[in-house]
């Protein structure tokens, strides 16, 4: 929504060997986004079929956004905390409305977790997004436009059992 701006800050991080160091970091400033999101069932998780209640998960997400999110969110690093509030996607004027295309460069896209692929690998995904008139449309995780880097191969997947570590539908 806002123009992309950065600012440099001198930071004194603690060294692992003791003492301090001086580093200069570049941070985004005055950041404001609108996010349009949806959820999809993980077809790899047959043990969670009984929990596929769209109404339950939709209401959990709504309550979460109204309360500012389920967990703290960070824009890259812990000291860059973000805040969540409900909005109507597309409402309000954004700096990049009518701007055209902007290639954002090569960056992190997301993780593919072991329970989301047949080989049970933990994968980091990267891409080169293009913002068009203020909107970035994320590629789907399985898109061939993404670079995948395997971090760990063949990881174990936590099993869920109804009544043990999974609540029955209707009990949140």
């Amino acid at each position: 929504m806002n123009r992309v701006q950065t600012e440099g800050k001198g930071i004194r991080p603690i060294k692992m060997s003791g003492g301090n160091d001086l580093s200069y970091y570049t941070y985004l400033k005055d950041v404001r986004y609108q996010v349009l999101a949806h959820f999809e069932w993980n077809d790899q998780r047959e043990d969670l079929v009984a929990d596929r209640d769209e109404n339950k998960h939709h209401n959990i997400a709504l309550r979460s956004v109204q309360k500012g999110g389920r967990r703290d969110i960070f824009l890259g690093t812990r000291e860059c905390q973000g805040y969540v509030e409900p909005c109507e996607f597309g409402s309000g004027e954004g700096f990049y409305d009518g701007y055209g295309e902007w290639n954002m460069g090569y960056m992190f896209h997301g993780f593919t977790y072991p329970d989301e692929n047949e080989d049970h690998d933990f994968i980091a995904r990267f891409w080169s997004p293009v913002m068009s008139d203020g909107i970035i449309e994320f590629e789907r995780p399985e898109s061939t436009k993404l670079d995948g880097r395997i971090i760990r191969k063949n990881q174990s997947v936590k099993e869920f059992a109804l009544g043990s570590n999974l609540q029955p539908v209707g009990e949140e």
Side-chain angles (χ1 to χ4, degrees):
M1 298 295 295
N2 294 344
R3 181 172 64 96
V4 174
Q5 301 175 77
T6 61
E7 62 183 339
K9 291 187 178 186
I11 305 293
R12 296 189 65 78
I14 298 171
K15 289 183 174 182
M16 294 288 285
S17 59
N20 289 5
D21 206 357
L22 178 62
S23 296
Y24 287 93
Y25 292 177
T26 301
Y27 293 96
L28 292 172
K29 77 176 201 181
D30 195 25
V31 178
R32 196 167 135 231
Y33 302 103
Q34 288 183 352
V35 176
L36 178 64
H38 71 277
F39 60 89
E40 298 178 12
W41 306 126
N42 181 348
D43 292 330
Q44 298 285 324
R45 297 305 304 254
E46 290 297 323
D47 55 335
L48 295 174
V49 169
D51 192 48
R52 293 182 183 169
D53 180 339
E54 186 173 344
N55 190 48
K56 169 189 169 181
H57 293 284
H58 176 78
N59 287 329
I60 290 170
L62 280 179
R63 284 195 308 272
S64 177
V65 168
Q66 290 166 348
K67 292 182 178 184
R70 284 184 90 155
R71 295 180 180 87
D72 291 343
I73 62 164
F74 306 100
L75 304 174
T77 61
R78 182 129 183 105
E79 67 265 22
C80 300
Q81 188 168 0
Y83 300 95
V84 176
E85 62 185 42
C87 70
E88 181 182 328
F89 184 79
S91 65
E93 189 173 328
F95 180 83
Y96 294 97
D97 292 351
Y99 186 85
E101 289 193 348
W102 178 16
N103 186 320
M104 307 294 291
Y106 195 70
M107 62 179 65
F108 179 73
H109 179 275
F111 289 118
T112 300
Y113 293 97
D115 69 345
E116 297 174 329
N117 66 87
E118 291 178 1
D119 296 327
H120 303 299
D121 294 334
F122 182 50
I123 303 168
R125 300 185 309 269
F126 299 89
W127 69 324
S128 295
V130 175
M131 180 168 58
S132 298
D133 295 327
I135 296 176
I136 299 172
E137 291 191 30
F138 271 69
E139 292 290 331
R140 294 191 53 80
E142 65 274 7
S143 171
T144 58
K145 295 179 182 178
L146 303 177
D147 289 334
R149 307 276 164 78
I150 296 174
I151 298 171
R152 292 188 191 100
K153 287 183 166 283
N154 198 20
Q155 298 294 292
S156 62
V157 175
K158 180 179 179 179
E159 295 295 325
F160 290 94
L162 195 59
S164 172
N165 59 354
L166 175 66
Q167 295 177 355
V169 172
E171 296 180 25
E172 296 175 30

